[in-house]
Amino acid sequence: MRIIEVVSPQDIKSFLRLPHKLYANDPEWVCPLDDDIELVFDRSQNPYFKNGDAKRWLLLNNQQKAIGRVAAFYNEKHFTQLGRKIGGMGFFECIEDEGAAQLLLNTCKNWLKEKGIEGMDGPINFGERDRFWGLMVKGFKHPSYLENYNPPYYETYFTNFGFKTIIEQSTSEITMEDFSFERFNRISQRVINNPNYRFEHFKMNELDRFATDFMTIYNKAWAHRADFSPMTQERVEIVLRSIKPILVEDIIWFAYANNEPAGFYINVIDVNQIFKHMKGKMDLLAKLKFVWYKTFGKIDRVRGIVFGVVPQYQNLGLETGMIIKFYDAVRKYPNIRASELAWIGDFNPKMHSLFDALGAKTTKVHHTMRVEF
């Protein structure tokens, strides 16, 4: 076996095609879009390269066939936030072979150590947490858009290498039938009828305004986190435009208190139910398939990708108000049977309690892991 750096167009193709071989017999796997992965490693598009670097590798067998892949990266801004030099690794895929896995992980470790870095988190994204983040350890079922999926044996490889869990992030699902509507509708009326508060759904023709509001809320709501990285207007607009095809305006809600941006509940349709048929491509034929499945297919689930309220307005009912506004909107779409509530960290017991009260059930668990050198 030997490791090669991903450099040429053929290397990139092998990096993207390898999972097709590994998951060929797994009916649950959905291939991520090639464009979404390549965007992470595009120096002209990913702002994380401004303060860091990334490399990718392939593991080849004696017949020069790819049997594993991985990427490592670092961003110097995170060093200050974490108080030490911690890099990251991700996009790990490997045949069921302990030696092959350790070779890939050691390649990441050695490259990061050469940069003076003292540890690495993984498997994570070289970018925001809303995509390609965490090792799936429970609920190995249909992954949602941009959600990491992997076979169960990966966990052993990571723990044997020395990784330890630092965040447990869960995904819950609630069906329209299980939602405690009467209770939450009654509670929400107090805040919905309060003239000091208002709720507004996203509008694509006012993207700039909502991007500004999102940035304001996000930077206030997550500022207390040690690993917090401020969001910029440019980055928000790039993300919103990149997911424009899967946005449904009235399932994305913002809350305002005294006309100040106070909270958001961002949902998208579960387009992996479409992307399952597209094999990672977004060429002309794939785009036609996308339009057909979106129009005539039965997408039956939406995914909440981020939910936040600025600290001074928490526990005032804005969370409940946004949930009821979202629920009222979803009822207009008869095909939708469930909502997935993603990336709820174990550091957020209030959100876990809220989702339990809603009637949600945990369906998947991912771990963010760390190893120090």
Side-chain angles (χ1 to χ4, degrees), residues 97-117:
D97 183 295
E98 177 88 26
Q102 300 305 312
L103 182 54
L104 287 164
L105 294 172
N106 269 309
T107 299
C108 297
K109 174 182 176 179
N110 293 337
W111 181 73
L112 290 170
K113 284 183 73 174
E114 289 174 4
K115 303 292 182 180
I117 294 169

Side-chain angles (χ1 to χ4, degrees), residues 23 26 93-94 135-136 140 149-155:
Y23 296 100
D26 186 342
E93 299 288 2
C94 187
L135 184 75
M136 181 176 279
F140 299 90
Y149 178 86
N150 55 263
Y153 63 82
Y154 281 12
E155 185 178 6

Side-chain angles (χ1 to χ4, degrees), residues 45 278 321:
Q45 295 294 320
M278 297 169 66

Side-chain angles (χ1 to χ4, degrees), residues 123-182:
I124 63 171
N125 179 37
F126 189 40
E128 270 69 61
R129 287 183 173 185
D130 64 341
R131 56 193 65 200
F132 306 127
W133 202 284
L135 184 75
M136 181 176 279
V137 296
K138 291 181 183 177
F140 299 90
K141 58 184 290 188
H142 176 89
S144 295
Y145 181 52
L146 301 175
E147 180 180 61
N148 273 352
Y149 178 86
N150 55 263
Y153 63 82
Y154 281 12
E155 185 178 6
T156 299
Y157 297 161
F158 276 73
T159 55
N160 286 351
F161 190 77
F163 277 97
K164 299 185 185 309
T165 299
I166 57 171
I167 300 174
E168 179 173 286
Q169 61 218 53
S170 63
T171 298
S172 298
E173 184 175 282
I174 182 169
T175 65
M176 301 296 281
E177 293 78 15
D178 289 339
F179 175 47
S180 305
F181 173 75
E182 294 300 332

Side-chain angles (χ1 to χ4, degrees), residues 163-336:
F163 277 97
K164 299 185 185 309
T165 299
I166 57 171
I167 300 174
E168 179 173 286
Q169 61 218 53
S170 63
T171 298
S172 298
E173 184 175 282
I174 182 169
T175 65
M176 301 296 281
E177 293 78 15
D178 289 339
F179 175 47
S180 305
F181 173 75
E182 294 300 332
R183 175 188 174 189
F184 278 87
N185 186 52
R186 185 171 61 253
I187 295 172
S188 72
Q189 293 311 304
R190 175 177 57 83
V191 68
I192 289 175
N193 295 323
N194 188 324
N196 294 320
Y197 306 129
R198 64 183 172 87
F199 300 88
E200 189 174 350
H201 71 71
F202 174 77
K203 303 175 186 67
M204 184 57 72
N205 63 2
E206 296 183 53
L207 185 144
D208 290 350
R209 174 170 73 89
F210 284 105
T212 300
D213 293 346
F214 181 98
M215 178 187 68
T216 300
I217 296 163
Y218 182 92
N219 288 343
K220 290 180 178 179
W222 275 266
H224 66 285
R225 293 279 304 161
D227 54 356
F228 169 69
S229 181
M231 188 71 74
T232 65
Q233 175 93 9
E234 176 188 17
R235 185 60 182 161
V236 177
E237 291 184 9
I238 288 173
V239 171
L240 288 176
R241 289 194 172 96
S242 72
I243 62 174
K244 181 179 178 179
I246 63 175
L247 294 181
V248 177
E249 292 184 343
D250 59 359
I251 64 172
I252 299 172
W253 283 89
F254 284 74
Y256 298 85
N258 302 311
N259 288 321
E260 294 182 2
F264 52 54
Y265 183 24
I266 311 299
N267 294 273
V268 296
I269 59 174
D270 180 19
V271 284
N272 261 16
Q273 294 181 344
I274 300 175
F275 291 157
K276 190 173 183 69
H277 306 282
M278 297 169 66
K279 300 181 179 180
K281 298 296 184 184
M282 202 38 132
D283 52 20
L284 179 58
L285 178 59
K287 288 178 180 177
L288 292 174
K289 284 184 179 179
F290 180 88
V291 172
W292 191 92
Y293 279 107
K294 186 177 179 182
T295 305
F296 300 106
K298 296 196 177 203
I299 296 177
D300 64 359
R301 186 171 62 175
V302 297
R303 177 175 171 84
I305 55 176
V306 62
F307 191 122
V309 175
V310 301
Q312 72 187 92
Y313 296 117
Q314 290 176 4
N315 303 316
L316 297 178
L318 295 182
E319 298 90 345
T320 304
M322 287 189 289
I323 288 170
I324 287 297
K325 290 291 187 181
F326 161 75
Y327 178 82
D328 286 340
V330 167
R331 287 198 291 183
K332 296 186 295 186
Y333 304 98
N335 284 340
I336 302 299

